[in-house]
Amino acid sequence: MRHHLVLRVVSKLLIPFIILYGLYVQFHGDFSPGGGFQAGVIVAAAIILYALIFGTERAKQVFKPQALMVLAPVGVMIFALVGYYAMAMGGAYLDYDWLAGDDTTGQHIGIITVEFGVGLTVTAVMTLIFLAYAGRTHEIDDDDW
Amino acid sequence: MLELILAKYNYWIVIVLMMAGLYVVVARGNLVKKIIGLNVFQTSVFLLYISMGKVAGGTAPILTGKDEVFSNPIPHVLILTAIVVGIATTALGLALVVRIREAYSTIEEDEIDEAESLDMTADLAERRR
Amino acid sequence: MSTLSAALPHLPILQVVVPLISAPICFLLQRAGLAWAFSTLVSWLAFATSVMLLRAVMADGTIHYEIGGWAAPWGIEYVIDAANAIVLVIVSGIGAAVSSYAPRSVLAEIPASQRGLYYTAYLLCLAGLLGVTITGDAFNVFVFLEITSLSSYVLVAAGAGLDRRALTAAYNYLVMGTVGATFFVIGVGLLYMVTGTLNIADLHERVPPLLDNRTVHVAFAFIVVGLGLKLALFPLHTWLPNAYTYAPSTGTAFLAATSTKVSVYVLLRFLFGVFAPTSGLMALTMDYVLLPLAVIGMMAATVAAIYQYNLKRLLAYSSVAQLGYMVLGFAYGSVDGLTAAVLHLFNHALMKGALFLALGCVMLRVGDVTMHGVRGLGRQMPWTMAAFVAGGLSLIGVPLTVGFISKWYLVGAALEDGRWWIAALILASSLLAVIYVWKVVEAAYLREPPAGRTVREAPLSMLVPTWILVLANIWFGVDAELTVSVARTAAMGLLGVAP
Amino acid sequence: MELLIDIVLLAILGIIAVAILWTRHLFVATMLSGAYSLTSAALLVALDAVDVAFTEAAVGAGISTVLMLGTLTLTRRREKATNRRVSIGPLLLVIVTGALLIYGTVDMPAFGDPNAPALLHVVPEYLAGTRDDIQIPNIVTAILASYRGFDTLGETAVIFTAGVGVLLLLGRRREEDEEAGTRRPEREA
Amino acid sequence: MNPSFLLAATLLLPLIGTLFIALTGSRANLREAVTLVTAGLLAVIVYSLLQDVLAGARPAATLVEVVPGLPLALEIEPLGMLFACIASGLWIVNSLYSIGYMRGNHEHKQTRFYMCFAIAIASAMGIAFAGNMFTLFIFYEVLTLSTYPLVAHKETAEARQGARIYLGLLIGTSIGFQMVAIIWTWLAAGTLDFAAGGILRGKVDPAVLPFLLALYMFGIGKAALMPFHRWLPSAMVAPTPVSALLHAVAVVKAGVFTVLKVVVYVFGVDLLAETGASQWLIGVASFTLIAASLVAMTKDNLKARLAYSTISQLSYIVLGAALATSYGVLGGALHIATHALGKITLFMCAGAIYVATHKTEISEMDGLGRRMPFTYGAFLVGALSIIGLPPLAGVWSKWYLAMGAVETGLWAVVAVYMISSLLNVAYLIPVVARGFFKPSAEPVPQSVGAAAAPAAGGLQEAPLLCVLPPCLTAAGCVVLFFYADAVVALLRPLVQ
């Protein structure tokens, strides 16, 4: 689809906004619908859009698979480590009350951190999965459809 | 009677949808179609769950400060998890389909069965040698 | 030491989250050797944890652990009693044995670039199985069941390096497993709808008064069918033979010895820990649906096993039959029956673990696990084949092996119940097992190897774990006091009978 | 009004489901499946499940459609024609299963019942707890990330597992796999 | 030494022997020496225990408690002592014979042969000294499994087939019937310990006692009660030493020994007598007894004929037990000893003939007696003992068995014993008669056996180690005739 100028320009404009929206969903999940998972999917969608328009090879240069392969496990680890940290502080596993001096703050910190971990993993895994599919074949041409 | 229908119609339609999905899974021989069927099946189950949490006249479970009637948030939480599980399964299933296509040059169940019985004969022939 | 004692109250959660967080670490390690060493270390840690938990449970009774500090039923709690403590031990124990065994086998069977991922999937599977077993929350069961299932599909599909049929086997497993999981979720949803809770203990209080509720009946049906798919209850077993045949040797050994067992346990937990049907429609279902299916499965799968040429498939069919034994045991609904079921769950894991590990050795050296491949191996790989024969004898139920103890209790429970025909069928099926085991024995010991084939005995790194399981087969066959007492405590706990 | 929206959306879902059953073109089926998810999302909004709707739209209509399209480019577009006749066995199975479920609905609380048992047991504590202890507005997030946070950890692990699986299956170049598919395990001499 | 220790040693010693046989497998002489030394030591231990038992002691040892209430326990009582003496004593003789036979025949895989043999003996000891039915069952199964490789020794298609039947029937009956019976007993009586007078009195409805007894009797496949006797002829594909010691002594006697144990210590003779639960068994045993004798007459293959003879003789003992009288039980127990001596002699002679001439069919053996006088002499003595003629041991057991029948007033059973003895004459004596009196079919006998050489006088005996043992056991038949009293004294406590 590289020759569709309109598409390229529009998406170039859109992609930053999609990612921004993803970040909003990520960190505003406490207040409105959304959270790590939805945010992760949105950001991944932005990356996938980029890959579709500009080609997987170029996408891989921007979003390096090696980096994604680090981010995916790190997201899970962030979540799990919050649990361990609470445990080390004296609470039960994942007991956010122990993350800060006061329970409510602790809960907020906990929720935001784990949601971040979820978002990281989802973004990375979704992108990786897409790249794996895409890496399996030649570039997708219009004629394919 | 009407009351019964009004009380349950949502469940019934959702159940029919679920069964349509399940039918595709069981009856269709195309591997991609099966995955699509699974998706329809699971999505309908999500609807069933959410339906049971609905409260007439309720709102989305987001605290706004006013004393409102909320729909049951627990099914929402569960289904969020289930959706994630669903996409994970779909991704893995489709990856398998891609590999199957590469290995067998087909994604139709009957043709794969044929190829596998050929594999079996080849195995035996090799041992006879 | 102080950190250790501080960790003690957290053992229940550590049992699961240590393997769980190890999976991403393993993923990051990349190099196969490191990934192996790490996953083995974690498996042994998990094993040690489960042994400590079992001891604690047997000494002090049920352990509760509230995750996130939220009391049940609002939060998710872990509940450990004798029934799941023994399952934890078997899962982590088999995990430890299989992962110690793995490197040479994985080296031979799995392409270099996939080995690290394979170990990661194994750790996820281990964490999932442990999580399913230990949890006291119905929906949490589903989540961890899916970790298990997805990683099992991966473990099976990893066999594609050797045989493309691994792919279709994994695909079928995935479709049937997903349908099963979805059925389970429907069942749990229906239960939630009428009770408002997901906590198993809470459900146990709220469901029995509703035993005449039709929604509960349907929930029961869906949970049984869903778990039936996962545990390969005849006739829902069709995914199993291919999955076990084409998965890599280590994957087969691990899955065969653990995953269906855990599903059996979950079914057990739901049947007795939630529904507790002593009368009515559900009790009738157990008597007239579950029991006959178990019996038919036991016989049909045994007969099918006799006609198999590929030994992994042979053992897979034998597994279906053995699952029939377990379901039989708890379909009686008596303490004796449940004791027999739990006992067999443990014992069967030991047998199948040993047998599949022995086959892994054959796969490594001969590259062919068919009747043809094992010809004359009795002399060429004496230790491997001796392990296989010992496992086979256990499968038949020869005295001084765990199989005998299982059969003793299964038949005893059937007789106690006055179900003569079932006792007769159990014995008939174990006699048929003689046929398929002996086909292998004859091929290995009484036939000449194919002309020109020379193979050496398997390496020690594989023989030792195999023989550890074989010796466990004998040890718990000679001294069954521990297993029997745990199984009995478990059975009484599940039935809510005071000791 | 709610009822009307509800029924219209359900009807659309029904039509899409039949169309999926009917079509032989996998591309069409994929698109229909996306549409199905999108319509479901709309229905979920009507059922007050905004979080779920959001996710279903992003996942069902977005990611999974993209993955399916990706699969189709790697495989093929059309289903084999012979597979379209109605098969009795599966039909029977589906009818029995459906009938069983409908039988189960008889004793269910009515749709929208504000006094359903599910609303009376754990939910009130969640509402109060979210307001007082956790103090965030989105109750779903509170339950998801805190009360049932462990489920969410599991869920993240599920996604991670899928990633591991896909990488294992598709992570390498195709030629490597084809080469590998034909070999027997190296016999160690 | 501590009797419990000695008791455990009877089991351990052959197992240790097995280990050493395996280790010395490459050096034949050393290996055979190990076998002989082990056999000798075992006999010494058993006979030292015999002194204790005669003095009234009942040494016991618990090895391990498998499941609460189900220990692996050993305890000596007279019947078991008798069986152990026979098995361990004849193992020495048979080991000598094995060496001659296996070498004479250039058999392959001799190490495996001796190892399995030693394990089989260990399990026979376990059966003899088992303190409860559970332990007995376990060793019973081990005996089956350890003899399987011996039956399949030749590894030909025929051997595989025979071994399959052997294993199938023995495992099948034991798991299919015997195990059920044992579990049933356990559930009913709450124990499986052998106790004088039985453990079932008042625990099982007398109406189902015959059924339980049937499960036991058919479950003890080694007793070769029809219709589960097919394994015994099938097992004849094994090398002759195996047939001699195991399928004339250890294995089959383990079967009838178990029958006696069950009758005496599980059911109790009195209980059976009172309830008449064993009446049906009299019929089945009598039928087997006569039918097997008749079949034996039709067999031309010597080992097959001996096998059917064994089936018939085993039924003597089962019949004795079924009579449920003290004489019957005593006679049965005594018959274990006398028949063992007689039959092992016959088998060893058959093997000696095979080693020397490679002949297996009786019709081909015309005139052999003159060339193999020692072998045929021993055969004659063994045959006469089995027929039950004085001054040979066989007469005593038949006497007691007949007494038992008289005691119950069942004259038909007496008649069965008598007819059967006549049939014994009809199928055993022709073998000897053809050997001595028929002219040889082949004029110039060519030696096939290793050590055999047509020396002056036309002697063509098998190697010394093949001929000496049957002569020894034949002599034993004579000796036992005079010392039967000692055996009866040993067994006396059984029926008091």
Side-chain angles (χ1 to χ4, degrees):
Chain A
M1 290 183 211
R2 252 159 291 179
H3 48 277
H4 290 273
L5 188 66
V6 181
L7 262 179
R8 294 180 66 172
V9 173
V10 171
S11 41
K12 221 170 191 170
L13 279 171
L14 260 178
I15 286 168
F17 283 104
I18 298 179
I19 293 182
L20 194 66
Y21 179 59
L23 291 176
Y24 168 79
V25 170
Q26 169 80 55
F27 293 105
H28 209 254
D30 310 2
F31 302 94
S32 55
F37 184 73
Q38 294 89 331
V41 174
I42 289 168
V43 175
I47 299 174
I48 290 170
L49 182 62
Y50 186 88
L52 285 175
I53 307 292
F54 299 99
T56 24
E57 283 316 310
R58 202 159 146 204
K60 277 183 183 172
Q61 283 163 13
V62 184
F63 307 96
K64 291 202 167 53
Q66 291 87 338
L68 293 172
M69 285 180 66
V70 173
L71 290 183
V74 163
V76 181
M77 285 162 70
I78 288 175
F79 198 143
L81 285 173
V82 170
Y84 284 103
Y85 184 72
M87 198 192 277
M89 290 291 107
Y93 191 79
L94 284 179
D95 189 344
Y96 308 143
D97 288 351
W98 295 76
L99 295 180
D102 115 83
D103 287 2
T104 307
T105 322
Q107 289 288 345
H108 286 193
I109 294 175
I111 290 173
I112 287 179
T113 323
V114 301
E115 291 275 17
F116 177 66
V118 174
L120 215 53
T121 295
V122 171
T123 309
V125 168
M126 288 301 164
T127 314
L128 275 174
I129 289 177
F130 175 80
L131 291 178
Y133 275 81
R136 214 58 181 179
T137 180
H138 51 87
E139 292 296 323
I140 301 167
D141 288 329
D142 282 0
D143 306 340
D144 282 344
W145 303 105
Chain B
M1 189 63 203
L2 186 69
E3 200 181 334
L4 179 71
I5 293 176
L6 271 180
K8 304 285 157 65
Y9 77 93
N10 196 297
Y11 299 139
W12 293 345
I13 298 176
V14 170
I15 287 168
V16 171
L17 293 175
M18 267 162 66
M19 291 307 117
L22 187 60
Y23 179 80
V24 174
V25 178
V26 184
R28 288 293 184 250
N30 183 290
L31 302 188
V32 174
K33 197 74 181 275
K34 269 178 191 288
I35 301 271
I36 292 176
L38 268 185
N39 271 343
V40 172
F41 181 39
Q42 289 185 314
T43 309
S44 313
V45 173
F46 303 159
L47 288 176
L48 179 77
Y49 255 77
I50 301 298
S51 297
M52 60 169 113
K54 168 73 181 169
V55 173
T59 64
I62 294 176
L63 297 168
T64 49
K66 286 171 285 182
D67 246 357
E68 286 178 302
V69 179
F70 297 120
S71 285
N72 188 343
I74 298 179
H76 302 181
V77 175
L78 304 183
I79 290 315
L80 275 174
T81 307
I83 289 177
V84 177
V85 170
I87 180 68
T89 312
T90 305
L92 195 57
L94 290 174
L96 280 168
V97 173
V98 170
R99 284 290 303 273
I100 288 174
R101 156 77 188 194
E102 287 169 8
Y104 292 83
S105 308
T106 176
I107 53 169
E108 297 291 336
E109 219 167 29
D110 48 351
E111 290 170 15
I112 292 170
D113 288 346
E114 235 167 73
E116 292 197 338
S117 62
L118 284 179
D119 276 9
M120 208 77 95
T121 348
D123 279 1
L124 284 178
E126 191 186 327
R127 284 192 189 90
R128 297 251 166 69
R129 232 176 335 117
Chain C
M1 201 57 219
S2 64
T3 47
L4 185 65
S5 60
L8 274 180
H10 296 291
L11 278 184
I13 190 77
L14 289 174
Q15 174 81 83
V16 177
V17 291
V18 169
L20 192 64
I21 197 175
S22 305
I25 297 176
C26 186
F27 183 87
L28 287 174
L29 288 176
Q30 299 260 342
R31 298 239 324 273
L34 276 178
W36 166 73
F38 184 69
S39 65
T40 305
L41 176 75
V42 171
S43 305
W44 282 101
L45 272 179
F47 182 52
T49 312
S50 64
V51 170
M52 280 193 266
L53 281 174
L54 178 64
R55 291 173 58 121
V57 164
M58 291 310 283
D60 309 324
T62 309
I63 299 174
H64 293 262
Y65 186 89
E66 289 164 349
I67 299 167
W70 300 110
W74 296 281
I76 293 167
E77 70 165 343
Y78 273 4
V79 182
I80 309 164
D81 58 10
N84 54 9
I86 182 103
V87 180
L88 292 176
V89 169
I90 196 72
V91 169
S92 56
I94 296 285
V98 171
S99 61
S100 311
Y101 166 102
R104 292 292 289 271
S105 178
V106 167
L107 202 64
E109 292 180 20
I110 294 175
S113 63
Q114 296 179 355
R115 286 173 201 150
L117 293 170
Y118 184 76
Y119 289 119
T120 309
Y122 155 75
L123 278 176
L124 285 164
C125 195
L126 179 69
L129 288 167
L130 294 170
V132 170
T133 309
I134 203 170
T135 189
D137 186 280
F139 198 80
N140 198 238
V141 168
F142 165 72
V143 174
F144 278 81
L145 202 58
E146 283 300 277
I147 299 181
T148 310
S149 303
L150 284 173
S151 47
S152 308
Y153 311 147
V154 177
L155 290 180
V156 172
L162 292 179
D163 193 318
R164 61 179 181 172
R165 280 168 283 187
L167 295 169
T168 46
Y171 180 87
N172 286 330
Y173 186 10
L174 179 134
V175 169
M176 294 193 75
T178 307
V179 171
T182 311
F183 269 47
F184 177 76
V185 162
I186 295 173
V188 170
L190 294 178
L191 280 184
Y192 175 73
M193 194 185 246
V194 293
T195 61
T197 186
L198 292 165
N199 183 285
I200 292 176
D202 204 19
L203 280 170
H204 188 42
E205 284 175 14
R206 290 166 173 265
V207 169
L210 296 171
L211 280 185
D212 288 330
N213 186 309
R214 273 165 274 214
T215 309
V216 172
H217 293 169
V218 175
F220 174 81
F222 271 77
I223 288 177
V224 169
V225 172
L227 290 173
L229 269 163
K230 290 275 184 192
L231 69 80
L233 174 67
F234 183 89
L236 306 172
H237 67 283
T238 48
W239 58 267
L240 186 141
N242 272 340
Y244 283 9
T245 308
Y246 299 117
S249 303
T250 43
T252 308
F254 182 66
L255 292 178
T258 58
S259 86
T260 47
K261 311 292 169 297
V262 168
S263 304
V264 170
Y265 158 76
V266 176
L267 182 56
L268 210 63
R269 178 61 76 187
F270 270 85
L271 284 185
F272 297 99
V274 173
F275 294 102
T278 45
S279 60
L281 200 61
M282 284 184 264
L284 286 180
T285 312
M286 303 240 301
D287 254 13
Y288 292 101
V289 180
L290 224 46
L291 192 73
L293 282 182
V295 170
I296 296 171
M298 179 175 92
M299 298 311 290
T302 309
V303 172
I306 293 173
Y307 291 101
Q308 297 309 318
Y309 183 70
N310 184 311
L311 299 190
K312 278 171 104 178
R313 190 186 291 274
L314 183 155
L315 291 180
Y317 273 107
S318 143
S319 277
V320 176
Q322 304 277 329
L323 287 163
Y325 289 142
M326 288 170 227
V327 176
L328 256 188
F330 63 73
Y332 303 154
S334 62
V335 172
D336 286 306
L338 269 181
T339 306
V342 175
L343 198 59
H344 193 51
L345 195 144
F346 181 88
N347 290 345
H348 181 241
L350 290 180
M351 302 174 205
K352 278 289 146 68
L355 284 167
F356 275 117
L357 287 188
L359 281 190
C361 295
V362 175
M363 192 68 183
L364 178 79
R365 291 299 198 212
V366 186
D368 179 9
V369 287
T370 61
M371 288 289 175
H372 182 267
V374 295
R375 272 192 174 190
L377 271 191
R379 236 154 315 141
Q380 294 184 323
M381 299 177 72
W383 287 98
T384 303
M385 286 323 287
F388 190 92
V389 171
L393 292 178
S394 195
L395 206 55
I396 296 169
V398 168
L400 301 183
T401 62
V402 287
F404 175 68
I405 305 287
S406 291
K407 228 136 272 181
W408 180 271
Y409 276 86
L410 280 165
V411 172
L415 290 184
E416 186 85 272
D417 238 25
R419 301 185 201 240
W420 279 93
W421 62 281
I422 289 181
L425 286 175
I426 292 174
L427 292 169
S429 146
S430 62
L431 288 175
L432 291 175
V434 178
I435 300 179
Y436 60 72
V437 170
W438 233 259
K439 276 171 76 176
V440 184
V441 170
E442 280 189 2
Y445 288 92
L446 303 181
R447 284 181 182 276
E448 292 305 316
R453 185 189 72 192
T454 51
V455 289
R456 283 189 305 129
E457 181 54 273
L460 265 186
S461 70
M462 291 166 78
L463 277 181
V464 170
T466 310
W467 272 91
I468 287 177
L469 287 186
V470 169
L471 292 177
N473 263 292
I474 296 169
W475 176 270
F476 290 110
V478 172
D479 184 3
E481 211 169 334
L482 174 75
T483 47
V484 169
S485 68
V486 173
R488 188 161 289 275
T489 316
M492 289 193 296
L494 284 168
L495 286 173
V497 183
Chain D
M1 188 57 200
E2 256 184 27
L3 179 72
L4 192 67
I5 296 174
D6 208 42
I7 289 180
V8 168
L9 287 174
L10 282 171
I12 296 175
L13 284 177
I15 293 167
I16 298 176
V18 170
I20 290 177
L21 266 174
W22 203 252
T23 182
R24 213 179 300 165
H25 204 293
L26 290 174
F27 176 68
V28 174
T30 303
M31 283 332 219
L32 284 173
S33 150
Y36 189 89
S37 287
L38 214 54
T39 317
S40 302
L43 184 57
L44 290 168
V45 173
L47 294 172
D48 302 337
V50 278
D51 279 271
V52 182
F54 192 170
T55 315
E56 179 61 35
V59 169
I63 295 285
S64 80
T65 309
V66 169
L67 292 184
M68 274 185 208
L69 292 178
T71 310
L72 291 185
T73 55
L74 295 173
T75 55
R76 66 164 149 187
R77 296 317 122 62
R78 272 188 169 276
E79 194 180 351
K80 231 170 80 174
T82 47
N83 286 343
R84 224 176 87 183
R85 58 176 195 281
V86 176
S87 2
I88 299 299
L91 195 65
L92 214 62
L93 175 102
V94 165
I95 289 173
V96 169
T97 315
L100 188 68
L101 272 172
I102 287 176
Y103 164 80
T105 60
V106 176
D107 284 345
M108 276 184 194
F111 175 60
D113 182 1
N115 290 316
L119 281 165
L120 304 178
H121 183 34
V122 176
V123 176
E125 285 84 351
Y126 278 164
L127 298 184
T130 308
R131 189 173 48 234
D132 305 334
D133 299 342
I134 301 181
Q135 295 178 12
I136 60 170
N138 191 344
I139 304 169
V140 172
T141 302
I143 302 175
L144 185 84
S146 187
Y147 288 103
R148 299 188 65 87
F150 194 63
D151 268 354
T152 310
L153 175 58
E155 166 202 320
T156 318
V158 169
I159 276 289
F160 177 66
T161 312
V164 170
V166 172
L167 282 177
L168 189 141
L169 285 167
L170 302 178
R172 299 188 305 166
R173 301 251 308 285
R174 191 175 161 170
E175 301 75 47
E176 291 177 89
D177 282 324
E178 273 169 1
E179 187 190 320
T182 52
R183 79 201 173 104
R184 296 213 160 267
E186 41 204 89
R187 268 182 54 186
E188 298 191 12
Chain E
M1 248 193 281
N2 180 354
S4 311
F5 173 76
L6 286 179
L7 185 52
T10 56
L11 277 182
L12 285 178
L13 191 67
L15 293 180
I16 296 169
T18 310
L19 192 65
F20 278 99
I21 292 169
L23 292 176
T24 55
S26 50
R27 278 176 294 174
N29 287 334
L30 197 57
R31 180 186 64 201
E32 264 83 303
V34 171
T35 301
L36 286 174
V37 168
T38 314
L41 277 176
L42 181 66
V44 169
I45 295 177
V46 170
Y47 282 92
S48 73
L49 281 167
L50 174 63
Q51 302 311 316
D52 292 345
V53 174
L54 280 174
R58 295 288 180 267
T62 299
L63 300 179
V64 57
E65 182 128 347
V66 176
V67 170
L70 282 182
L72 265 189
L74 301 178
E75 189 184 354
I76 306 185
E77 46 72 56
L79 196 56
M81 196 66 232
L82 175 69
F83 179 45
C85 288
I86 298 166
S88 63
L90 290 181
W91 189 27
I92 306 179
V93 183
N94 194 269
S95 297
L96 289 171
Y97 178 75
S98 297
I99 295 166
Y101 181 92
M102 299 302 279
R103 291 190 179 185
N105 256 338
H106 305 291
E107 292 278 353
H108 67 155
K109 293 182 184 162
Q110 294 194 20
T111 307
R112 182 178 77 189
F113 175 86
Y114 288 109
M115 283 170 67
C116 290
F117 224 115
I119 298 175
I121 292 297
S123 34
M125 290 297 127
I127 291 173
F129 294 143
N132 56 39
M133 199 57 213
F134 180 69
T135 313
L136 197 155
F137 178 69
I138 286 174
F139 287 111
Y140 181 97
E141 295 291 57
V142 176
L143 181 59
T144 307
L145 289 172
S146 60
T147 48
Y148 167 82
L150 295 172
V151 176
H153 185 84
K154 293 206 173 84
E155 300 189 5
T156 57
E158 193 198 0
R160 276 203 297 272
Q161 183 59 29
R164 240 179 250 165
I165 295 175
Y166 178 75
L167 189 83
L169 267 175
L170 287 186
I171 291 265
T173 50
S174 65
I175 290 185
F177 304 131
Q178 193 184 350
M179 192 167 134
V180 181
I182 295 174
I183 296 178
W184 187 0
T185 308
W186 191 46
L187 291 175
T191 175
L192 287 173
D193 290 346
F194 293 125
I199 53 175
L200 285 175
R201 181 178 291 275
K203 301 285 174 52
V204 175
D205 180 5
V208 296
L209 266 187
F211 185 58
L212 179 56
L213 185 71
L215 281 178
Y216 270 116
M217 291 303 128
F218 290 116
I220 303 167
K222 292 192 173 112
L225 212 51
M226 281 184 180
F228 299 110
H229 65 288
R230 273 289 307 153
W231 64 268
L232 188 49
S234 298
M236 292 305 140
V237 296
T240 307
V242 176
S243 309
L245 183 61
L246 297 175
H247 303 123
V249 182
V251 173
V252 292
K253 293 298 148 41
V256 286
F257 169 74
T258 311
V259 167
L260 286 175
K261 277 278 219 186
V262 167
V263 165
V264 175
Y265 294 110
V266 175
F267 284 84
V269 176
D270 295 342
L271 182 66
L272 286 182
E274 284 163 28
T275 56
S278 57
Q279 291 295 320
W280 64 271
L281 185 58
I282 296 178
V284 174
S286 303
F287 173 80
T288 306
L289 207 161
I290 300 289
S293 299
L294 291 173
V295 175
M297 290 172 67
T298 69
K299 295 288 173 189
D300 189 32
N301 182 300
L302 180 55
K303 279 177 77 178
R305 184 174 287 193
L306 293 180
Y308 275 98
S309 158
T310 305
I311 296 172
S312 160
Q313 299 288 325
L314 292 174
S315 281
Y316 273 70
I317 302 168
V318 177
L319 186 51
L323 290 172
T325 66
S326 42
Y327 277 120
V329 171
L330 207 56
L334 199 55
H335 201 63
I336 289 183
T338 57
H339 175 248
L341 273 174
K343 195 47 73 59
I344 197 173
T345 310
L346 297 188
F347 268 112
M348 288 197 286
C349 291
I353 293 170
Y354 177 73
V355 172
T357 66
H358 272 219
K359 284 181 178 156
T360 55
E361 307 304 306
I362 297 165
S363 53
E364 295 169 358
M365 296 179 186
D366 292 351
L368 267 185
R370 270 161 291 168
R371 273 182 280 130
M372 305 179 70
F374 291 103
T375 308
Y376 268 76
F379 193 97
L380 180 63
V381 174
L384 292 178
S385 176
I386 283 176
I387 292 162
L389 292 177
L392 295 163
V395 69
W396 290 123
S397 52
K398 290 208 171 178
W399 173 261
Y400 277 107
L401 284 168
M403 288 283 285
V406 172
E407 205 177 5
T408 52
L410 288 170
W411 292 98
V413 175
V414 181
V416 166
Y417 278 132
M418 293 302 138
I419 293 170
S420 158
S421 291
L422 288 177
L423 290 173
N424 289 349
V425 175
Y427 63 75
L428 285 177
I429 294 305
V431 180
V432 189
R434 291 181 87 132
F436 281 121
F437 302 123
K438 273 221 168 179
S440 174
E442 356 169 13
V444 186
Q446 258 315 307
S447 120
V448 196
L459 271 187
Q460 195 203 4
E461 282 284 5
L464 177 67
L465 279 178
C466 278
V467 181
L468 185 63
C471 294
L472 284 176
T473 52
C477 290
V478 181
V479 173
L480 192 60
F481 173 78
F482 295 103
Y483 290 93
D485 217 25
V487 181
V488 174
L490 171 69
L491 292 174
R492 210 33 100 181
L494 204 63
V495 291
Q496 269 167 3

